[in-house]
Amino acid sequence: MSAAPDVAVIGGGIVGCALAAFLAEGGARVRLYEREAVAAGASGRNSGVVQHPLDAALAGLYEESLEHYRTLGRGFELPAEPVGLLVVADRPEALGPPPVEFGELRPERLEGAELRAAEPALADGLVAHRLDTGRPVPPAAAARAFAARAREAGAELRIGEEAVLAARDGRALGVTVRGELHPAGAVAVAAGPWTPEAGAAAHLPISPLWGVVVEVALDTPPTHVLEQAGVDELTGSAVPESLFSMVTARGVSAVGSTFEPERPDAEALAPRLLARGARFVPALEYAAQRGLRACARPVSADGRPLLGPLPGVDGAAIASGHGAWGITLGPASARLVADLALGRPVAIPPALDVSRFLTPRPSTRQS
Ligand SMILES: Cc1cc2nc3c(=O)[nH]c(=O)nc-3n(C[C@H](O)[C@H](O)[C@H](O)COP(=O)(O)OP(=O)(O)OC[C@H]3O[C@@H](n4cnc5c(N)ncnc54)[C@H](O)[C@@H]3O)c2cc1C
């Protein structure tokens, strides 16, 4: 592609790759800039489950993303049925109430022999809520499949190029790469936790929350997705340092996870994650570590995505802040922002619109 693209996309994670695919399929000339590799961030190193986010404001994105995943192909395979999520606790008082507002997930409290029968891999003495959700997928499969779809539709993927939104007098000019302006008709920033820096708007309320996940292969892994109770609170002052989780996709189990603002020492944390995990799944005591994933969740101030036009910069849009739910919600978020850039009628739900945090600014970074 020699001429300036209609849209430059910054970031090659699940959101940026899906954006590039939808834009190119909508007829736009698209160039995506990824500084490292497709799925180099959380989109390649997550726990690997598509599941209901248990937040009514996000349910629509989840349902639409399921539809995108059903037809995605290109190495991505969505399990036809959910394997079931068990929210587990080692003390009854830590479990909290069942999420009865999501009746379609058929929440059910299990303990003792009933829990043992539902999930024989669990330790004795636990209590759980079972929810009818959770579709395990290999961690990078979704982003890679959307990247392939974007290329097929004619998008150019510039891998190894770090880009920053360039704007002047309240108008996006394109992106700056190594100090040089690359003009573009519009710019969509989907750089995960680095979106504030890449979007030349340091006031965007998105910050990294690092997680470490250990890969193991058990002879008889749990069939359910397992999550220790408490993972629903990832903003504010009550964020836990670490909670047990376990997701098995294609024979590999991802045992996590941590929630820390700074990049952690993953090697040092791995044995502790497995030791803690063994309190929930005893077979983890003897499990050999096969791999390690460390990455940062892009967490917004209220835990929900930031989507839509960047206030004060015509021709610039943001798609980020998916926190712990980017694989689950990313495709639908990308579709909304792609429709916006393509000039199609689209209504970004107010609970997801980036403008809920930002007031227009007269101009941002000069090119
Ligand atoms: C431990 C862990 C487990 C998780 N498990 C799940 C799960 O099971 N299910 C789920 O739905 N979600 C999960 N998540 C969350 C999910 O992984 C993220 O929300 C999602 O991957 C974010 O996607 P993204 O495209 O916004 O950002 P990223 O994946 O971070 O992608 C951003 C990309 O932008 C690139 N980039 C950054 N700055 C620039 C620049 N200036 N120029 C060019 N490129 C740039 C980066 O290299 C990166 O590749 C998990 C997250 C963690 C940390």
Side-chain angles (χ1 to χ4, degrees):
M1 186 188 292
S2 51
D6 300 318
V7 188
V9 176
I10 304 179
I14 177 63
V15 180
C17 291
L19 248 170
F22 292 134
L23 285 165
E25 288 168 0
R29 296 162 62 91
V30 180
R31 186 178 288 153
L32 179 146
Y33 295 85
E34 163 53 51
R35 65 182 174 192
E36 210 178 323
V38 165
S43 299
R45 299 162 196 263
N46 53 81
S47 296
V49 64
V50 177
Q51 77 183 22
H52 198 295
L54 301 181
D55 175 348
L58 305 181
L61 291 182
Y62 162 68
E63 296 292 348
E64 182 186 326
S65 293
L66 279 182
E67 290 308 313
H68 292 303
Y69 281 139
R70 285 193 176 104
T71 55
L72 178 56
R74 300 168 179 84
F76 181 90
E77 208 178 309
L78 186 74
E81 297 297 330
V83 297
L85 164 66
L86 283 172
V87 180
V88 293
D90 47 9
R91 292 169 295 119
E93 63 275 18
L95 187 59
V100 287
E101 63 275 34
F102 300 103
E104 72 276 22
L105 304 180
R106 296 185 291 169
E108 185 186 8
R109 187 185 159 97
L110 297 173
E111 59 188 308
E114 269 187 333
L115 181 55
R116 178 49 78 113
E119 184 50 84
L122 282 177
D124 288 333
L126 303 175
V127 291
H129 290 141
R130 187 187 186 284
L131 303 175
D132 206 7
T133 185
R135 289 173 160 90
V137 294
R144 288 189 183 140
F146 271 111
R149 188 165 146 182
R151 284 194 178 99
E152 283 166 29
E156 181 191 5
L157 273 60
R158 293 266 183 109
I159 307 301
E161 295 196 10
E162 182 163 287
V164 175
L165 167 67
R168 187 189 295 143
D169 299 330
R171 168 82 218 163
L173 301 177
V175 299
T176 306
V177 178
R178 290 187 287 270
E180 187 186 320
L181 176 68
H182 290 208
V187 180
V189 190
W194 304 280
T195 294
E197 295 95 310
H203 55 301
L204 277 175
I206 300 173
S207 48
L209 193 61
W210 285 83
V212 176
V213 167
V214 187
E215 290 177 16
V216 300
L218 299 181
D219 290 339
T220 48
T223 57
H224 288 82
V225 172
L226 306 178
E227 258 179 25
Q228 188 177 354
V231 80
D232 42 352
E233 189 48 78
L234 292 188
T235 57
S237 55
V239 180
E241 269 179 28
S242 179
L243 287 169
F244 169 67
S245 63
M246 188 163 178
V247 182
T248 304
R250 300 195 194 165
V252 177
S253 299
V255 181
S257 179
T258 55
F259 307 93
E260 296 179 273
E262 305 295 334
R263 180 190 283 268
D265 179 347
E267 296 286 344
L269 283 171
R272 282 187 253 160
L273 288 174
L274 290 180
R276 190 260 315 273
R279 299 207 313 257
F280 294 89
V281 175
L284 288 176
E285 190 175 345
Y286 307 104
Q289 182 183 321
R290 288 180 30 141
L292 200 51
R293 305 174 196 161
C295 57
R297 305 168 184 84
V299 178
S300 73
D302 63 3
R304 292 173 177 160
L306 302 182
L307 309 177
L310 183 60
V313 188
D314 287 347
I318 296 290
S320 186
H322 290 80
W325 299 110
I327 304 303
T328 296
L329 311 175
S333 293
R335 197 275 306 160
L336 280 171
V337 175
D339 279 357
L340 191 77
L342 291 166
R344 294 175 177 162
V346 58
I348 307 271
L352 312 178
D353 194 319
V354 63
S355 66
R356 72 192 185 276
F357 289 116
L358 303 179
T359 49
R361 289 150 59 95
S363 69
T364 57
R365 176 179 300 201
Q366 303 293 301
S367 66

